[in-house]
């Protein structure tokens, strides 16, 4: 899922997103509840109509963004008190309020509110946040069942699994979350200070304890290698700002490995960014031209690199789906990984 923080995947139109192969995108509850406000979006018919996107939307609960503003936040059993990053006004997010906002937005998939914690953290605090997440999950699900989207539908509901940096606690939390009636599961609170190896140990512990007949979503990751490693752990859905954020910094993901378009070696290159990519940037433009646009600070550079990176990620996932059907995921993952590990020095895959 490309990330549409403010109800837009920065620089791309709905037609661009469809052309990239995007089937579902993520919108951020926290940002949209503060601006322009979820009531306004409900009154205008919901987020699909507001942003002219007729394919599925998943909204997060807003908890991650709120809790990452550490010093401005107070967590109680009721919910999270925080101050808006826009105007400093006091705000409150509870399980019920998060589900209300997501119903107003009219997303197809809504996610329960969780209590994410940074790592490292002592065992008692990890347990406390995990237990609170379970109580908030129950409240979120109970409340969400009473709500309707602006189009008069119910939503699919995903529950978040927490459990900090302890594999046994992760497994226990996944098992207890799996007992709730919901449509899918999100694994949250990873990539928050632990090593890559720990991330995959924790993701595997959680994913292995979740039912195989419902989707598993790993929140906030990652690089192309992370996606392949995640798929091998049984993950079905991902979201990440990397393809869009890196594009604005001149970083392209290609089938030949990462390309920093600012590098002098591309000044006279009349090759496309990625000869095996189907996107508009790769069909029409050279690396030399994209480099020039980027160095001149032209909007078109951001737009074309974003379109390319999102297309690359969608193509990578298509490749993985086909490889799973043919039973050759390991082999395909190895081939792609080699091109990336050589170039960016990424750590080895989990054993
Ligand atoms: Zn491309």
């Amino acid at each position: 899922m490309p990330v549409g923080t403010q109800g837009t995947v920065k620089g791309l139109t709905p037609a661009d997103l469809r052309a990239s192969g995007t089937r579902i995108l993520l919108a951020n509850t926290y940002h949209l509840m503060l601006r322009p406000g979820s009531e306004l979006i409900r009154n205008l018919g919901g987020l699909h109509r507001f942003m002219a996107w007729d394919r599925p939307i998943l909204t997060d609960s807003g908890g991650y963004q709120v809790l990452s503003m550490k010093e401005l936040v107070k967590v109680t059993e009721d919910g999270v008190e925080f101050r808006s990053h826009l105007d400093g006004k006091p705000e409150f997010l509870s399980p019920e309020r998060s589900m209300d906002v997501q119903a107003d937005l009219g997303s197809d998939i809504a996610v329960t509110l969780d209590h994410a914690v940074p790592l490292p953290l002592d065992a008692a605090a990890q347990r406390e946040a995990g237990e609170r997440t379970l109580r908030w999950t129950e409240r979120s699900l109970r409340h969400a069942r009473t709500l309707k989207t602006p189009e008069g539908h119910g939503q699919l509901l995903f529950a978040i699994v927490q459990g900090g940096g302890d594999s046994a606690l992760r497994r226990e939390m996944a098992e207890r979350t799996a007992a709730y009636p919901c449509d899918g599961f999100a694994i949250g609170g990873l990539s928050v200070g632990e090593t890559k190896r720990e991330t995959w140990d924790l993701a595997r512990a959680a994913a292995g304890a979740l039912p195989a007949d419902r989707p598993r979503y790993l929140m906030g990751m990652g690089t192309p290698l992370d996606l392949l490693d995640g798929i091998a752990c049984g993950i079905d859905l991902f979201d990440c700002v990397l393809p869009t954020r890196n594009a604005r910094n001149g970083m392209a993901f290609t089938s030949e490995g990462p390309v920093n378009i600012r590098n002098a070696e591309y000044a006279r290159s009349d090759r496309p960014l990625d000869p095996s990519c189907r996107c508009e940037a790769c069909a029409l433009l050279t690396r030399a031209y994209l480099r020039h646009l980027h160095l001149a600070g032209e909007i078109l550079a951001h737009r074309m690199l974003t379109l390319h990176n999102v297309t690359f990620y969608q193509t990578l996932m298509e490749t993985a789906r086909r490889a799973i059907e043919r039973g050759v995921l390991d082999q395909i993952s190895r081939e792609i990984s080699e091109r990336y590990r050589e170039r960016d020095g990424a750590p080895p895959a989990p054993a």
Side-chain angles (χ1 to χ4, degrees):
M1 295 177 285
V3 177
T5 303
Q6 310 274 5
T8 168
V9 178
K10 291 187 197 313
L12 301 187
T13 64
D16 291 336
L17 286 166
R18 276 193 293 273
S20 74
T22 298
R23 301 174 174 197
I24 175 171
L25 55 80
L26 177 143
N28 283 125
T29 293
Y30 167 81
H31 288 281
L32 294 172
M33 73 181 262
L34 295 182
R35 180 178 60 193
S38 64
E39 270 182 48
L40 181 146
I41 293 178
R42 176 180 275 277
N43 290 336
L44 290 172
L47 188 57
H48 283 99
R49 202 199 276 184
F50 192 53
M51 65 180 290
W53 175 249
D54 58 4
R55 293 182 180 180
I57 297 173
L58 178 146
T59 43
D60 60 10
S61 65
Y64 177 78
Q65 261 101 11
V66 167
L67 289 159
S68 52
M69 303 187 297
K70 296 168 191 85
E71 67 279 17
L72 302 168
V73 172
K74 190 175 160 216
V75 180
T76 65
E77 187 58 26
D78 235 16
V80 192
E81 293 168 28
F82 65 101
R83 286 185 179 277
S84 161
H85 74 287
L86 296 174
D87 55 14
K89 273 200 340 217
E91 299 274 352
F92 184 66
L93 192 68
S94 63
E96 291 79 12
R97 169 109 171 97
S98 171
M99 304 319 287
D100 281 336
V101 171
Q102 295 181 72
D104 284 347
L105 297 175
S107 55
D108 304 270
I109 302 172
V111 173
T112 56
L113 186 67
D114 61 326
H115 184 186
V117 289
L119 296 175
L121 187 71
D122 68 80
Q126 292 186 37
R127 160 70 62 181
E128 189 191 340
E131 296 286 349
R132 176 169 295 120
T133 294
L134 290 172
R135 293 191 295 273
W136 284 4
T137 301
E138 195 171 345
R139 278 169 57 188
S140 298
L141 293 172
R142 194 186 317 130
H143 186 66
R145 305 274 175 221
T146 69
L147 305 175
K148 288 270 183 280
T149 68
E151 291 159 319
H153 305 305
Q155 294 165 292
L156 296 174
L157 303 172
F158 280 22
I160 301 188
V161 176
Q162 285 291 344
D166 177 340
S167 288
L169 186 61
R170 280 268 161 193
R171 196 172 306 111
E172 180 196 324
M173 290 295 153
E175 281 166 1
R176 291 169 65 188
T177 308
Y180 291 115
C182 52
D183 303 290
F185 301 92
I187 300 172
L190 293 179
S191 271
V192 291
E194 78 282 16
T195 67
K196 205 63 141 193
R197 185 170 288 279
E198 286 166 338
T199 301
W200 292 120
D201 285 346
L202 296 166
R204 243 194 318 274
L210 292 170
D213 63 347
R214 275 168 281 171
R216 302 166 195 161
Y217 158 32
L218 183 59
M219 306 179 90
M221 288 181 74
T223 66
L225 296 185
D226 289 336
L227 266 57
L228 293 168
D229 291 342
I231 291 166
C233 293
I235 305 297
D236 304 293
L237 273 161
F238 303 86
D239 78 282
C240 191
V241 294
L242 214 54
T244 44
R245 181 181 292 160
N246 280 14
R248 298 195 295 280
N249 295 326
M251 219 318 267
F253 297 95
T254 79
S255 60
E256 298 166 353
V259 166
N260 184 344
I261 201 66
R262 283 186 289 208
N263 285 355
E265 64 180 300
Y266 306 126
R268 291 166 191 284
S269 171
D270 64 359
R271 296 185 67 220
L273 204 47
D274 187 343
S276 59
C277 175
R278 60 165 189 254
C279 87
E280 191 183 1
C282 293
L284 296 177
L285 309 179
T286 63
R287 292 184 179 196
Y289 181 60
L290 290 168
R291 177 173 185 272
H292 159 69
L293 292 179
H294 182 83
L295 294 180
E298 285 293 332
I299 289 171
L300 188 60
H302 295 184
R303 192 171 122 66
M304 287 291 105
L305 258 62
T306 302
L307 178 62
H308 167 75
N309 278 353
V310 172
T311 306
F312 175 81
Y313 266 61
Q314 300 298 1
T315 307
L316 180 69
M317 294 300 280
E318 279 169 32
T319 304
R321 286 194 287 272
R322 278 202 306 273
I324 290 169
E325 281 167 5
R326 289 165 43 220
V328 293
L329 180 66
D330 284 355
Q331 181 199 329
I332 299 286
S333 292
R334 237 184 344 263
E335 286 168 21
I336 296 172
S337 299
E338 271 159 25
R339 265 167 273 156
Y340 270 81
R341 290 208 172 86
E342 279 166 23
R343 297 289 296 263
D344 68 3

